[in-house]
Amino acid sequence: MTSPELALTVRLNTSAADLRRGVVRLHPEALAALGIREWDAIALMGARGTATVAGRAPTRTPAGTILLDDVTMSNVGLTENSSVVVGPVTVYGARSVSVTGSSMATNSISSTVLRQALLGKVVSVGDTVSLLPRDLGPGTSTSEATQALSRTFGVAWTSELLTVTAVEPAGGPVSVQPNSAVNWGSGSAGALTPSALVSSPATVAIEPAPSVPLDHLVGAQAQAAKLTEWLGLALDEPELLRTLGASPHLGVLITGPAGVGKATLARSVLSSRKLVELDGPGVGATEANTRLQRIVDAVAAVRGGGVLLISDIDALLPATAEPVSALILEQLRSAVATPGVAFIATSAHPETVDARLRGQDLCDRELALTLPDGATRKALLELLLRRVPTGTLELDAIASRAPGFVVADLAALCREAALRAATRASKSGDSPEITQEDLVGALEVIRPLSRSSTEELSIGSVTLDDVGDMVETKQALTEAVLWPLQHPDSFARLGVDPPRGVLLYGPPGCGKTYLVRALASSGHLSVHAVKGAELMDKWVGASEKAVRELFQRARDSAPSLIFLDEIDALAPRRGQSSDSGVSDRVVAALLTELDGVEPLRDVVVLGATNRPDLIDPALLRPGRLERLVFVPPPDAEARKAILRASGKSVPLAEDVDLDILAVDLEGYSAADCSALLREAALAAMRRSMDAADVTAADVATAREKVRPSLDPEQVAHLQAYADNR
C-alpha cells in the first residue's frame, strides 16, 4: 500500500512565531488526508526533497495551501505560488548531526548549546537550519538554549543560518533528540553534494541509438566535418593544443529546428567512439534527486574516455534555473575537465537553456543546423527512396511544395506515400510502387514540425492565374514576394537586398486576402496568418513576446510569408493610443524584427489594411514595409473576370450575359460580385428546388438583395493616398 500524497500550493508563512522554527502549517483536512497528527514529520518534494514538522494552519487558511517560511522554501527549492508534493515520512532519532556555519558561530557556540537550539527539528543533509529553537509543540521548551545563545553569540544568533552536512543514521531525515550528538562539521557552509541529494541509485543507458553513415548527412556535411575536427583535436591530439597554450576540453551545443537531425549528426560523427547518451526530456521529467543521479551515473560511465551526449538539454536545464541545476552543471563541468572526455548537447530552443551552459568551462562552441532548402530536400527524398520501388517521380516538384520540411517530416511524407501505395497494391494485386500521385497526396496530410503549433492560411488550389485582372498588382506582388524567395541568387549577384515587406491596401472586399492566398499557393510558401488584434494582450511584455514568437515560427518554416491582416490595429501611430503603451511597444517589436540586428532571411512580411494612413510611418520606410501596393476596386473588365471565375461552377442560363452584367455592377467589390452569383443560385432554388440553371430573372432578384458595398468617399481617399505616394 502506497503512502498518501498531496500536491499543495506554497504560500509564505508571515507569522513571527513560526519564523525559521522548522515548522510548516497545513489545513486540518490535509493532515487528516495524509493520516498524520499535528507535530508529526512530513516529507516535502519540490526541486529537491526535504522533511520538517507539520503544524495546524491558522483559521481561514485554504485547504489546498501549505505555509512555509523562507528557509524551508529554500530547502525545498520552490518559490511562492508553486506546487509542492507532501506526504508522511519515517523519521529516526539522530545519533549524530554535523552542521557548518560562520567562523564566529563555530568558535562561540558549544555542542551542548547547539543541540539545545536544534532540539525537535527534523533535518536532512543539505538543509539550511536556523539557531532559533523550535519552541512549538510538546517537549520543545528551550529557554536555556536561548539564554546561552544570547550570552555567547549576542543578538546575531537570531539571524545565523547553518547547513547540515552529515547525519546518522544516513540516508534519510532525522530528528534531533536530547541524546543526539550535534557537532560542528568540517565542510563548507551551504555545500550541497550529489551524494547528499541522491536518495536512490539510478541507471544510465550506455548503448547509443543506431547511427547513419556520414555520407547520408545531406545538408550537414560542413557541420559534420567541423565536429569531427574538434573531436579529433580534443580527444586524439590534446598535447598539440597544450603545446599552443590551449585547453583540450570540448563542449559543443548543436542547435537547430526540431527534427532537423541534431542528434543524428552527433551519433554519426561519434559512431567510432564510446558514447553515453541521455534523453533530456526524459531525465528532466523526473524529480530532482533522480535527475541528478542520472547525470552522476552518466558522467561516471564516460570518465574513462568518450563522449556524453544529452539531447534537448533545454528540458533538463531550463532558463529559469532550479536549485538542482547548479549541481548538474557542476557535474557536467567536471566531465568536460576530464582528459579524454567531451560533452555534446542539442537544443531546438537555445534561448530557453540555462545561460550557464554556454560558459567557457562548458559548451564554449556551437554548431547550427538550418532548415533544408529546395535542393537539399530533393537530395533527402532521393536518399529516403533509394531502396524503394518507385514509378516516374518528379522530386523537384515535391521538394518545392514542401517548405519548412526537415528530414523527419520528409521521412513521414515517404511513409504516408508508402501507405497509399500499399493500399492501392492490396486492392489491385499489382506490384507495389510509390508514384508521384502518392507523394502529392501525402503532402496534403503531413504537416511539418515547424508549423505544427500554429494555424496557417488555407491555401487550396487557387493561384495568381486564377485572380481576374489586377495585372499590375499581381506583378508588383510577384516581384516583392516571390522573387526574393525563389531567386535569392539573383539579388546576391546584383548586390542588393530583397524587399522585406509589402503593404496591400485598398477598399474592403477587393480581394486583398484572396491575393495573399493565391500568392502563397503560387510560391509554395508556408503562410502564417495573424489578425492585427490577435497579438494584443493586456499583460506587459505578452504582446511583444507574441510578435517575437510569430517571427521565430516563420524563420523555422522558411521560406515563409507572414500575413498581418488589419495591420492598422496592430501598428497604429505611436503616441496616439490609450492602451497604456501596448501598441507602441508592439510597433517597436515589429520594427526590431523587420529591420533589427538579426537579418530577416527567407521571410517576407505582408500587411493588409483599408486605412494605410493610420499605420505608424516608421513601419513604411525602406527596409520594412517598403513596397506599398494599391488594390483598386474592380473595373468593368475586372468584374467580368471575377464573375467568370466565380460562375465556373454555376449553371447559367443562356439569357445571362456576364459581360453586360459586369458593366452594370458599378460600385461592386470583388466580394460583392461573388455574393451576387451565390444569391442568384439561392433565388433559383427558391423558385424551384428542381431548378437546373440560374436565369437572368434570378440574377435580377439577387441584385435587389446584394447591394454595392464600396463607399465612394473611402475609395476616393485611398486613390488619393495612392496617387501621393
Side-chain angles (χ1 to χ4, degrees):
M1 182 176 176
T2 58
S3 301
E5 291 184 345
L6 295 177
L8 303 176
T9 301
V10 175
R11 293 285 190 271
L12 180 65
N13 191 349
T14 58
S15 171
D18 292 350
L19 181 65
R20 299 181 173 181
R21 303 286 183 177
V23 175
V24 300
R25 298 286 184 174
L26 283 79
H27 192 278
E29 293 181 1
L31 293 173
L34 295 172
I36 62 175
R37 298 171 298 176
E38 187 178 20
W39 313 120
D40 283 349
I42 185 174
L44 307 175
M45 181 54 66
R48 67 178 293 271
T50 188
T52 186
V53 177
R56 189 184 300 266
T59 308
R60 298 182 180 179
T61 301
T65 295
I66 182 172
L67 303 181
L68 278 65
D69 61 29
D70 58 338
V71 171
T72 307
M73 202 177 292
S74 175
N75 285 337
V76 78
L78 297 177
T79 59
E80 195 170 15
N81 298 320
S82 55
S83 181
V84 63
V85 177
V86 302
V89 65
T90 301
V91 175
Y92 298 95
R95 288 195 293 271
S96 67
V97 176
S98 295
V99 297
T100 60
S102 66
S103 57
M104 182 178 178
T106 304
N107 296 327
S108 304
I109 303 173
S110 66
S111 299
T112 302
V113 175
L114 193 59
R115 180 181 64 247
Q116 291 176 330
L118 301 182
L119 191 64
K121 292 186 177 182
V122 175
V123 297
S124 305
V125 174
D127 280 353
T128 298
V129 294
S130 77
L131 286 172
L132 289 168
R134 187 179 126 184
D135 277 341
L136 297 168
T140 58
S141 177
T142 53
S143 57
E144 294 183 6
T146 301
Q147 296 173 5
L149 287 167
S150 299
R151 286 195 309 269
T152 59
F153 199 47
V155 70
W157 75 270
T158 58
S159 58
E160 177 73 12
L161 294 178
L162 313 176
T163 299
V164 180
T165 58
V167 297
E168 189 181 352
V174 298
S175 174
V176 180
Q177 303 294 312
N179 60 347
S180 301
V182 182
N183 303 300
W184 292 107
S186 57
S188 60
L192 295 178
T193 62
S195 61
L197 280 181
V198 174
S199 58
S200 59
T203 59
V204 58
I206 300 181
E207 290 296 325
S211 61
V212 301
L214 282 173
D215 57 352
H216 289 178
L217 297 176
V218 179
Q221 295 291 345
Q223 292 87 341
K226 180 60 67 175
L227 184 57
T228 302
E229 177 187 324
W230 289 344
L231 287 166
L233 289 173
L235 302 183
D236 302 332
E237 299 180 280
E239 68 282 350
L240 181 59
L241 292 173
R242 293 192 185 97
T243 302
L244 297 171
S247 172
H249 84 270
L250 178 63
V252 183
L253 178 63
I254 304 177
T255 63
V260 79
K262 300 179 294 294
T264 301
L265 166 67
R267 296 189 194 106
S268 297
V269 173
L270 298 170
S271 59
S272 60
R273 300 180 184 272
K274 179 184 178 182
L275 175 61
V276 177
E277 184 174 349
L278 289 178
D279 177 58
V283 178
T286 61
E287 55 92 15
N289 292 2
T290 304
R291 203 181 316 163
L292 178 62
Q293 183 65 61
R294 295 288 299 275
I295 300 298
V296 171
D297 290 346
V299 171
V302 80
R303 282 208 186 273
V307 182
L308 172 61
L309 171 63
I310 302 180
S311 58
D312 296 316
I313 197 168
D314 47 281
L316 176 63
L317 293 171
T320 304
E322 302 175 349
V324 74
S325 297
L327 298 173
I328 292 175
L329 288 167
E330 189 60 34
Q331 286 294 310
L332 296 178
R333 291 189 188 99
S334 69
V336 171
T338 303
V341 175
F343 170 59
I344 299 176
T346 72
S347 175
H349 307 284
E351 70 282 354
T352 64
V353 179
D354 194 318
R356 293 173 291 181
L357 183 71
R358 286 172 158 165
Q360 293 299 312
D361 53 353
L362 251 180
C363 293
D364 58 338
R365 308 183 196 189
E366 186 170 330
L367 282 177
L369 294 181
T370 59
L371 287 168
D373 55 15
T376 303
R377 292 196 295 271
K378 178 186 176 182
L380 287 170
L381 285 171
E382 292 174 344
L383 184 64
L384 291 168
L385 297 172
R386 67 189 186 281
R387 299 178 180 176
V388 178
T390 60
T392 302
L393 300 179
E394 297 179 9
L395 295 182
D396 283 325
I398 302 299
S400 66
R401 295 185 59 181
F405 278 60
V406 296
V407 62
D409 304 321
L410 296 173
L413 181 73
C414 294
R415 288 196 298 272
E416 177 63 23
L419 180 62
R420 293 168 179 262
T423 302
R424 184 178 62 254
S426 176
K427 293 180 179 179
S428 65
D430 298 334
S431 300
E433 66 174 18
I434 295 177
T435 65
Q436 185 77 4
E437 290 73 22
D438 295 327
L439 291 171
V440 172
L443 281 172
E444 305 297 327
V445 177
I446 302 301
R447 191 177 189 188
L449 292 171
S450 59
R451 307 195 314 251
S452 60
S453 60
T454 62
E455 294 292 331
E456 294 188 4
L457 190 66
S458 177
I459 299 174
S461 59
V462 63
T463 66
L464 283 177
D465 296 333
D466 299 319
V467 180
D469 199 56
M470 299 189 185
V471 178
E472 295 181 0
T473 303
K474 290 191 291 185
Q475 182 62 29
L477 288 176
T478 300
E479 296 175 2
V481 179
L482 297 185
W483 284 5
L485 299 177
Q486 295 178 337
H487 308 289
D489 54 333
S490 298
F491 285 89
R493 186 171 57 253
L494 296 174
V496 295
D497 293 327
R500 293 192 178 99
V502 181
L503 178 67
L504 281 179
Y505 66 99
C510 289
K512 297 185 293 294
T513 304
Y514 187 78
L515 272 170
V516 175
R517 189 179 293 114
L519 192 68
S521 180
S522 300
H524 306 300
L525 313 171
S526 58
V527 182
H528 302 265
V530 179
K531 294 203 181 281
E534 292 178 4
L535 295 179
M536 309 300 288
D537 198 293
K538 65 179 181 179
W539 303 110
V540 176
S543 298
E544 302 94 298
K545 181 181 178 183
V547 172
R548 292 194 302 271
E549 291 176 345
L550 170 64
F551 277 80
Q552 187 58 52
R553 291 196 301 269
R555 292 187 182 96
D556 290 344
S557 59
S560 59
L561 177 69
I562 297 177
F563 178 46
L564 302 176
D565 203 4
E566 308 297 341
I567 193 174
D568 52 286
L570 178 64
R573 291 176 178 267
R574 284 173 287 183
Q576 299 183 5
S577 61
S578 57
D579 55 3
S580 302
V582 174
S583 298
D584 293 354
R585 293 194 298 271
V586 169
V587 173
L590 276 174
L591 298 178
T592 302
E593 293 292 344
L594 282 167
D595 193 20
V597 175
E598 185 179 357
L600 198 62
R601 301 186 184 278
D602 297 329
V603 178
V604 176
V605 180
L606 183 59
T609 181
N610 51 38
R611 294 297 305 274
D613 53 311
L614 299 182
I615 300 174
D616 191 275
L619 202 60
L620 304 179
R621 75 156 178 79
R624 293 160 181 172
L625 300 184
E626 58 187 73
R627 294 292 300 273
L628 275 66
V629 179
F630 179 48
V631 184
D635 55 14
E637 289 297 321
R639 293 194 294 271
K640 187 187 303 182
I642 293 168
L643 288 171
R644 288 175 177 172
S646 302
K648 287 181 179 179
S649 59
V650 180
L652 298 174
E654 294 182 355
D655 59 348
V656 179
D657 191 331
L658 293 181
D659 294 347
I660 297 176
L661 179 62
V663 175
D664 292 340
L665 296 179
E666 186 68 32
Y668 279 69
S669 67
D672 296 336
C673 295
S674 299
L676 179 64
L677 291 183
R678 288 197 302 270
E679 183 60 33
L682 290 173
M685 294 174 64
R686 297 189 194 101
R687 174 170 52 80
S688 173
M689 292 300 296
D690 298 325
D693 53 17
V694 176
T695 65
D698 297 327
V699 174
T701 302
R703 290 191 63 178
E704 296 177 359
K705 293 188 175 182
V706 180
R707 310 301 300 171
S709 63
L710 292 177
D711 183 359
E713 292 185 4
Q714 185 183 31
V715 173
H717 175 75
L718 290 171
Q719 187 64 59
Y721 182 87
D723 295 339
N724 293 329
R725 297 297 300 179

